[in-house]
């Protein structure tokens, strides 16, 4: 009986996978109809002054005390000699969701602070723009790359009916980045292009009174496109991508190297966690002793009064 159930399940899965394959092949054959929604961007060799920022965070608890540590890492390059700046913060008693939101807001806050101290062409963020504080205050272009797409914000914002219908059909069997990948690779095969490609930008939301544009970028052939959000003059999107293209070949294929660097630097390592824990044990132990002492004194006072 059990073997029959397993066999039926495997046959059903095989059938569904075959159906997905057939539908994906049909979508791939139709991808050539939508190449006009792909924009080719040649790399620029012009020197780009930028600030790239990312964050890492961790949470420690000891004897009922909970503290969250956030490390904001900024790579500032205004003269060809990039330097890394770390800014730490400690928060008490917040949830994991609040911690992630606080880290994203701090990234934008410190990037804004340093962009006002240095003359830069673009600010690079890791993660979406929408939902953050401070980002509507920038006077320079802000480009945010989203490695892990958790929603379909781009496809939901497409205003061209035929393209939107095609993408919606694709989303029934695959994730949004893969659908964009098919269209872009079809474009490359047709035109033998090795330049950076972006999909047509659409307004995907607002932050304050500022519009946020979303699109997919593929800096290198055959790599999975990255969902990107942009705030600034929409007429400068291609120029900004052109200047990012030479920085997006190494060390991670198809991802801006400055964001890769700050991602590594922002991680809160075991040594730092250990130092924070030692401090918590020392101060936490003192506080616990005070609490115990207060409890014992109260008990003794009550005992004396009762006599």
């Amino acid at each position: 009986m059990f073997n029959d159930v397993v066999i039926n399940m495997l046959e059903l899965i095989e059938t569904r996978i075959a159906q997905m394959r057939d539908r994906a092949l049909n979508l791939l054959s139709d991808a050539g109809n939508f190449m006009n929604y792909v924009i080719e961007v040649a790399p620029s060799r012009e020197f780009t002054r930028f600030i790239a920022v990312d964050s890492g965070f961790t949470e420690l608890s000891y004897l009922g005390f909970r503290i969250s540590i956030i490390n904001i890492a900024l790579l500032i390059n205004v003269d060809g000699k990039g330097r890394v700046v770390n800014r730490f913060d400690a928060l008490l008693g917040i949830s994991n969701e609040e911690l992630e939101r606080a880290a994203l807001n701090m990234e934008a806050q410190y990037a804004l602070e340093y962009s006002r101290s240095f003359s830069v062409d673009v600010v690079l963020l890791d993660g979406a723009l929408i939902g953050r504080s401070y980002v509507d205050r920038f006077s320079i272009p802000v480009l945010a790359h989203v490695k892990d797409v958790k929603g379909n914000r781009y496809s939901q914002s497409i205003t061209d009916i035929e393209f939107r219908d095609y993408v919606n059909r694709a989303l029934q069997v695959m994730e949004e980045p893969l659908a964009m990948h098919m269209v872009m690779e079809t474009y490359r095969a047709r035109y033998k292009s090795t330049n950076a490609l972006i999909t047509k930008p659409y307004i995907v939301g607002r932050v304050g009174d500022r519009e946020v544009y979303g699109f997919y970028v593929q800096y290198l052939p055959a790599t999975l496109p990255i969902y990107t959000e942009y705030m600034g003059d929409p007429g400068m999107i291609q120029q900004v991508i052109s200047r990012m293209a030479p920085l997006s070949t190494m060390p991670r294929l198809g991802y801006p190297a400055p964001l890769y660097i700050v991602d590594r630097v922002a991680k809160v390592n075991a040594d730092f966690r250990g130092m924070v824990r030692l401090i918590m044990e020392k101060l936490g132990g003192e506080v616990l002793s005070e609490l115990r002492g207060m409890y014992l004194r109260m008990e003794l006072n009550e005992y004396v009064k009762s006599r």
Side-chain angles (χ1 to χ4, degrees), residues 183-209:
V183 176
M184 288 177 164
E185 286 301 306
T186 301
Y187 179 96
R188 289 190 185 280
R190 175 74 61 85
Y191 297 106
K192 311 301 180 185
S193 172
T194 57
N195 289 326
L197 302 179
I198 65 172
T199 57
K200 181 180 177 180
Y202 294 95
I203 297 173
V204 295
R206 305 179 71 90
V207 177
D209 61 350

Side-chain angles (χ1 to χ4, degrees), residues 22 53 56 97 111 147 184 228 267 280 283 296 298 300:
D22 293 341
V53 59
E97 182 179 344
K147 296 189 294 291
M184 288 177 164
T228 306
K267 293 188 181 302
M280 292 181 68
L283 298 180
L296 291 173
M298 290 175 62
L300 180 60

